[in-house]
Amino acid sequence: MARYRNLWLFAGVALLFILTGALQSWNLSLNILNLALLSAIMAIGVNIQWGYAGLFSTGIVGSVALGGLAVVLVSSKPVPEGWAAGGPRIFGALLFGALAIALAVWLYRKLKPGAARTLALTLFLIVAFFIYRMILDPAVLAVEANNPAQAGNIGGLGLNSLLAWPVGAALAAAAAWVIGKIALGLREDYLAIATLGIAEIIVTVMRNEDWLDRGVKNLIDLPRPWPVPKEIDLQTNPAFLEPVASLGLDPVTASTIMVKLLYATMFGLVLLLLVWGCERALNSPWGRMVRAIRDNEISAAAMGKDVKFRHLQIFIIGSAVVGLAGAMMTSMEGQLTPPSYLPLRFTFLIWVMVIVGGSGNNWGAILGGLLIGWLYLAVEFLGPHLMEVLTSGLPAGALKDHLKDTAAHMRLLTLGVVLLLVLRFAPKGLIPEK
């Protein structure tokens, strides 16, 4: 039985989705499955950082948000008026800012340490900042004044959102390179604080820069990735309606299930490709070297391994995987809602998935993603039913009403109980590292 333990675990998780479809609805089950698959991909990214290299990053939500932003930049409808109003000046200001930072770094390295260098750099950065704002602010105001109720942004390229998936990975990887250069030299606890703070900066910028993604006004009507059609198109397509009618199915329900199945197939293929690549990498000389660095940095450095470079490399790869999942999620939802990027959902929940599944094991990360992904969403509709059963014997009154109101918090309570049980009885996760 021990040989097939992992298969039984995955079979048990699959049974949860089957029971959800049979007892609730297949639309709900597939919706949870798609989100769980995306969560599993994010868990693989975190497992690469923590399980492979021991990098404790709490900035996962920032990579997810950058993946979503990539869909906006690549796939949202172009807004020629907004771009003409100030788009070139905005990019000019951003280019000036990047050059100013590069020049400041160059000056820091060239000037001799001391008060003179500190004063020169301070004056340079103050002057550069005011010049940057003089270029940027009028352009931003001009863009955001263009039809703010429906646009107010520079728009995107209008391409298929499937092309945005690798762009999301690239954006997250580029941000990880910058963050890694700044924060990877810090101790574990300080690294966690720094990455969480930088991720919050990323999300705050997305919430407030309307010219970029409409901020808290949200951006809707993003195109679906090829080859996923819209439900309404299926409902008017004779090639779809004829077999549906012959099976006696409702066209509306069948169309939504068909779309969710297509998403599940695409996400499943991406997940399988990722786990195939990760397994090959983990069992290669590179994987053994990375784990050696994780276990003992001093010994690895004494053997001639570039610890700092490998940490940066792993940090970038893991962030790219998370950014890929963020782009996939936004393209599936068809909208970007910056206020929804919360650390609880896209940082700490992903960490719970990795811990429960088993850090350092790719299959464990997938199992944790699917299991906790189902639990996090299923408790939302199971909680009220369970509380209704538990309070059925109580008389009507304030106590019964209070207990029913607490059903909304059962999601966090359930996740906490599951995490405690796993840490107590399987501290290395359900599928431990080999």
Side-chain angles (χ1 to χ4, degrees), residues 121-253:
L121 281 174
T122 302
L123 290 175
F124 171 77
L125 290 174
I126 290 174
V127 172
F129 174 77
F130 279 102
I131 295 174
Y132 167 75
R133 299 301 302 192
M134 287 174 59
I135 301 172
L136 179 69
D137 289 351
V140 167
L141 291 174
V143 171
E144 294 180 352
N146 173 62
N147 191 13
Q150 298 180 356
N153 64 317
I154 57 175
L157 300 177
L159 303 176
N160 191 288
S161 65
L162 191 65
L163 301 174
W165 294 6
V167 175
L171 271 182
W177 181 83
V178 176
I179 296 169
K181 286 290 187 179
I182 298 171
L184 281 185
L186 301 174
R187 206 173 62 194
E188 279 187 5
D189 46 356
Y190 294 114
L191 174 63
I193 295 170
T195 50
L196 178 61
I198 294 171
E200 284 300 302
I201 291 172
I202 292 172
V203 175
T204 300
V205 168
M206 290 179 57
R207 288 175 181 169
N208 291 278
E209 299 300 327
D210 288 9
W211 63 270
L212 184 63
D213 57 7
R214 301 198 76 231
V216 295
K217 298 175 184 175
N218 303 334
L219 202 153
I220 60 175
D221 292 332
L222 294 173
R224 291 183 173 179
W226 180 88
V228 180
K230 291 184 177 180
E231 289 84 353
I232 189 64
D233 294 334
L234 288 175
Q235 295 164 19
T236 57
N237 187 347
F240 175 78
L241 291 175
E242 290 176 4
V244 166
S246 64
L247 294 172
L249 300 176
D250 176 41
V252 176
T253 303

Side-chain angles (χ1 to χ4, degrees), residues 234-385:
L234 288 175
Q235 295 164 19
T236 57
N237 187 347
F240 175 78
L241 291 175
E242 290 176 4
V244 166
S246 64
L247 294 172
L249 300 176
D250 176 41
V252 176
T253 303
S255 63
T256 55
I257 290 176
M258 180 66 179
V259 167
K260 288 181 173 65
L261 281 173
L262 285 172
Y263 276 123
T265 302
M266 295 172 69
F267 297 163
L269 288 174
V270 172
L271 182 60
L272 289 175
L273 286 173
L274 280 174
V275 75
W276 174 78
C278 288
E279 283 291 297
R280 287 180 62 86
L282 191 61
N283 296 311
S284 69
W286 177 87
R288 291 189 287 272
M289 173 196 63
V290 168
R291 283 183 288 183
I293 292 174
R294 177 199 64 188
D295 295 336
N296 195 322
E297 290 184 13
I298 297 175
S299 298
M303 296 295 292
K305 306 304 179 184
D306 192 341
V307 174
K308 186 175 180 180
F309 171 76
R310 294 305 174 186
H311 277 174
L312 181 61
Q313 184 185 54
I314 285 290
F315 190 70
I316 290 173
I317 294 172
S319 298
V321 172
V322 176
L324 171 66
M328 294 163 68
M329 179 174 291
T330 300
S331 66
M332 180 185 71
E333 293 175 345
Q335 61 181 358
L336 181 75
T337 54
S340 67
Y341 292 116
L342 302 173
L344 176 63
R345 171 65 181 91
F346 294 110
T347 293
F348 300 111
L349 183 66
I350 308 302
W351 267 103
V352 171
M353 295 174 180
V354 175
I355 293 170
V356 170
S359 65
N361 192 308
N362 296 311
W363 294 105
I366 294 173
L367 178 69
L370 295 175
L371 175 60
I372 301 300
W374 177 87
L375 190 65
Y376 182 78
L377 296 169
V379 171
E380 185 175 1
F381 64 86
L382 290 177
H385 293 304

